[in-house]
């Protein structure tokens, strides 16, 4: 999530107000158009690079990978350092491009496609009376954000369950997107232009369109989506 303001702690190191909520690496094979995704648990421990008030490197500290985004400008600098942290976690695999989307982007994207139909697999009635476990709903933007973001912080591995929900939502969203583009090929450009205010990226427009078109042929399966393995430890 993109921070609205920046804070300074007692060491003089700059920290943002928000961390990375979800981290996914996409590997695109330009030869055959195939895509593989790697889901990075936000609690994965890495060397976090901490920056001073001028965004210069200050020191390294072991921490959750989600916190790396907190150090920087809440935009391109934070995104670049987070991209590098993910690369370190993956044993130095180079990563060249990033797309950072604010949490409000979930709501906007969902409403742009006219809602996303999904079977609710957990009970959310304390937040929305319609979101009963087992119910099939066409989620609006607000409901989609609840579904993708909510977790019980009292449960140590609740983020893993949330990650599974997020992937279910992405799969359902992609199905809707495919239908919209089939009905109107220009919708892809309209969608990109509308979502541009919710994103920070170093992709060019042409790169974004190429990857989006490849993404329309993607299917979430055990083969195409992997999660970095690990053990939750207090």
């Amino acid at each position: 999530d993109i921070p609205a303001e920046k804070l300074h702690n007692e060491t003089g190191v700059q920290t943002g107000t928000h961390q990375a909520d979800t981290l996914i690496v996409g590997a695109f094979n330009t030869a055959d158009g195939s895509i593989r995704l790697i889901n990075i648990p936000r609690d994965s421990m890495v060397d976090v690079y901490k920056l001073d008030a001028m965004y210069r490197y200050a020191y390294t500290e072991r921490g959750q990978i989600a916190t790396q985004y907190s150090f920087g400008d809440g935009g391109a600098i934070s995104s670049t350092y987070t991209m590098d942290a993910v690369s370190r976690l993956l044993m130095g695999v180079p990563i060249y491009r990033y797309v950072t989307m604010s949490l409000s982007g979930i709501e906007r994207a969902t409403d742009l496609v006219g809602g996303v139909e999904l079977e609710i697999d957990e009970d959310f009635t304390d937040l929305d009376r319609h979101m009963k476990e087992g119910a099939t709903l066409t989620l609006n933007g607000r409901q989609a954000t609840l579904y993708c973001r909510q977790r019980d912080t009292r449960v140590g591995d609740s983020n893993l369950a949330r990650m599974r929900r997020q992937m279910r939502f992405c799969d359902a969203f992609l199905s809707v997107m495919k239908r919209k583009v089939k009905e109107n090929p220009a919708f892809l450009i309209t969608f990109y232009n509308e979502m541009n205010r919710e994103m920070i990226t170093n992709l060019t427009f042409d790169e974004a369109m190429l990857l989006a078109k490849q993404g329309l042929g993607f299917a979430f399966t055990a083969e195409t989506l992997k999660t970095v393995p690990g053990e939750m430890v207090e």
Side-chain angles (χ1 to χ4, degrees), residues 26-197:
F28 296 85
N29 187 329
T30 56
D32 61 12
S34 63
I35 302 173
R36 297 292 183 269
L37 298 182
I38 303 172
N39 207 357
I40 310 291
R42 72 191 303 274
D43 296 322
S44 302
M45 299 299 287
V46 297
D47 287 338
V48 174
Y49 292 172
K50 303 200 172 185
L51 313 182
D52 65 18
M54 300 300 294
Y55 306 137
R56 297 172 301 200
Y57 171 80
Y59 61 90
T60 299
E61 187 171 83
R62 198 73 175 168
Q64 295 163 303
I65 196 168
T67 65
Q68 181 65 80
Y69 189 84
S70 299
F71 298 93
D73 60 347
I77 294 175
S78 293
S79 299
T80 299
Y81 272 94
T82 299
M83 181 174 66
D84 292 343
V86 172
S87 177
R88 292 195 296 277
L89 180 70
L90 298 179
M91 310 298 287
V93 171
I95 302 175
Y96 304 104
R97 298 288 188 270
Y98 64 80
V99 177
T100 300
M101 188 180 77
S102 63
L103 283 173
S104 59
I106 300 173
E107 180 170 353
R108 187 165 188 80
T110 302
D111 289 338
L112 280 171
V113 299
V116 174
E117 184 176 274
L118 196 68
E119 181 181 340
I120 307 300
D121 52 349
E122 294 182 34
D123 185 74
F124 292 91
T125 52
D126 57 332
L127 301 171
D128 186 303
R129 63 186 178 86
H130 301 291
M131 297 177 69
K132 300 178 182 179
E133 184 175 1
T136 298
L137 298 177
T138 298
L139 302 178
N140 60 32
R142 183 188 63 82
Q143 292 169 323
T145 303
L146 288 176
Y147 183 80
C148 292
R149 187 177 187 184
Q150 186 65 19
R151 70 184 179 109
D152 187 348
T153 56
R154 297 169 299 179
V155 179
D157 62 351
S158 62
N159 185 59
L160 298 179
R162 180 172 64 171
M163 286 169 55
R164 289 190 289 270
R165 288 203 311 271
Q166 290 168 347
M167 292 305 100
R168 289 188 70 240
F169 176 80
C170 287
D171 196 22
F173 178 88
L174 190 58
S175 295
V176 178
M177 193 70 176
K178 289 176 183 178
R179 186 173 69 248
K180 298 287 286 188
V181 173
K182 186 176 181 179
E183 294 170 354
N184 176 18
F187 180 75
L188 198 58
I189 297 176
T190 301
F191 182 84
Y192 176 85
N193 289 334
E194 289 292 326
M195 287 299 297
N196 201 35
R197 71 190 70 177

Side-chain angles (χ1 to χ4, degrees), residues 181-230:
V181 173
K182 186 176 181 179
E183 294 170 354
N184 176 18
F187 180 75
L188 198 58
I189 297 176
T190 301
F191 182 84
Y192 176 85
N193 289 334
E194 289 292 326
M195 287 299 297
N196 201 35
R197 71 190 70 177
E198 303 286 352
M199 300 186 301
I200 300 167
T201 182
N202 61 352
L203 285 168
T204 67
F205 176 80
D206 289 341
E207 288 172 336
M209 288 296 100
L210 174 62
L211 296 181
K213 290 175 182 177
Q214 284 185 277
L216 290 176
F218 181 76
F220 285 83
T221 67
E223 181 62 29
T224 59
L225 175 64
K226 302 292 185 181
T227 297
V228 171

